[in-house]
Amino acid sequence: MTQKKSIKIGIMGGTFDPIHNGHLVTAEEALVQFKLDKVIFVPAGQPPHKEVRKSLDSVERYLMTVIATASNPDFEVSKIEIDKEGPSYTIDTVREFREIYGDEAEIYFITGADAILEIITWRDAKKLAKMCKFIAATRPGYCLKKFKELHVIPNENKEPEPGKLKVYIMEIPALAISSTDIRHRVLHGYSIKYLMPEGVANYVLKRKFYR
Ligand code: NAP
């Protein structure tokens, strides 16, 4: 009798303000490296840690994410955080996906390394670590010193000691592209061509975002 294979999903968390090719390469790399069945992009509704710069309207960020991922059958986009009022906590999001996909599902939460470092200092991090694994995407040259205090285990079979978190680190050269730089480029009239899918770039310009 063949045993039913449990589903492996990646949850790609981010503000995506705006989404760019660095995010897309990250998701594709995670899909391949971790043999995921699919990657679900989850644009943050109200990012819990962002009060200084107001993010673009969540529905617009969601729409840009849909445009960016439309041609890839392995990518989906979820409105789970967009539809929720108040801050989007990762623990609530992962809990909802656990309910949808069941206890057997292997869930990987994928996001930027800086965000991962914040999440693990957050009070519910230990509970969260029991519900999913973390993939931290870094730009080349990113200083990994802070991760040394954590448990960075590139071997899936080894479990971390109690109180430590397992974080997989993925270096993504395309993450030289950043949302901050794109917003800056738009503001100053520089080109954003080839930094993001053409449809998203056109949408940003058409809707006059980031001016
Ligand atoms: P951020 O602080 O805006 O981003 C930190 C860094 O990570 C930036 O360099 C960013 O680059 C990069 N990054 C963000 N998302 C990425 C992704 N999916 N793939 C690759 N790089 C990525 O972080 P954020 O976007 O607001 O938050 C990231 C995720 O963590 C969200 O899902 C958020 O809800 C979650 N989070 C949860 C908590 C919590 O539950 N308490 C706290 C903090 C964050 P770009 O600017 O180019 O994207």
Side-chain angles (χ1 to χ4, degrees):
M1 199 174 83
T2 51
Q3 211 170 356
K4 198 173 160 254
K5 183 181 154 280
S6 61
I7 191 163
K8 285 175 86 171
I9 60 164
I11 298 175
M12 179 77 170
T15 307
F16 304 128
D17 190 16
I19 189 162
H20 54 66
N21 288 344
H23 298 130
L24 297 168
V25 173
T26 299
E28 181 65 18
E29 194 61 28
L31 186 88
V32 174
Q33 265 193 40
F34 292 84
K35 298 184 173 59
L36 306 178
D37 292 291
K38 59 178 161 181
V39 174
I40 306 169
F41 286 69
V42 184
Q46 188 184 314
H49 56 309
K50 284 193 179 156
E51 277 149 31
V52 183
R53 187 188 73 81
K54 208 178 164 301
S55 307
L56 191 70
D57 178 72
S58 60
V59 175
E60 297 291 13
R61 291 185 285 103
Y62 167 76
L63 284 177
M64 290 192 283
T65 308
V66 171
I67 296 169
T69 55
S71 63
N72 189 328
D74 298 320
F75 291 172
E76 288 177 14
V77 188
S78 166
K79 283 182 90 181
I80 212 163
E81 292 191 358
I82 302 292
D83 289 342
K84 199 175 284 171
E85 273 185 34
S88 317
Y89 290 111
T90 302
I91 191 148
D92 299 332
T93 302
V94 173
R95 195 174 277 136
E96 287 199 38
F97 280 110
R98 248 288 142 248
E99 276 174 26
I100 297 167
Y101 290 98
D103 290 340
E104 297 305 307
E106 253 184 82
I107 298 181
Y108 290 78
F109 185 76
I110 312 157
T111 195
D114 285 343
I116 291 272
L117 284 169
E118 277 182 40
I119 291 168
I120 46 196
T121 56
W122 191 53
R123 68 193 150 99
D124 270 342
K126 283 180 193 156
K127 270 192 206 163
L128 182 61
K130 290 199 174 109
M131 296 196 288
C132 68
K133 295 172 184 170
F134 299 106
I135 301 176
T138 66
R139 302 187 157 96
Y142 185 89
C143 176
L144 294 176
K145 211 171 134 205
K146 288 181 218 157
F147 277 103
K148 289 202 174 131
E149 294 145 33
L150 313 166
H151 228 82
V152 180
I153 305 174
N155 175 355
E156 230 180 299
N157 300 319
K158 199 174 163 198
E159 284 308 311
E161 298 156 24
K164 299 275 186 171
L165 292 179
K166 180 147 92 176
V167 177
Y168 299 101
I169 296 182
M170 248 178 13
E171 194 178 275
I172 308 288
L175 278 179
I177 302 170
S178 81
S179 300
T180 308
D181 177 56
I182 290 173
R183 292 194 301 269
H184 180 267
R185 281 171 169 272
V186 176
L187 184 67
H188 296 282
Y190 301 131
S191 172
I192 53 169
K193 259 189 187 173
Y194 311 120
L195 299 177
M196 59 202 337
E198 198 179 355
V200 181
N202 289 341
Y203 192 70
V204 166
L205 299 177
K206 175 180 152 183
R207 302 280 285 125
K208 298 187 169 48
F209 293 152
Y210 312 124
R211 301 272 170 100

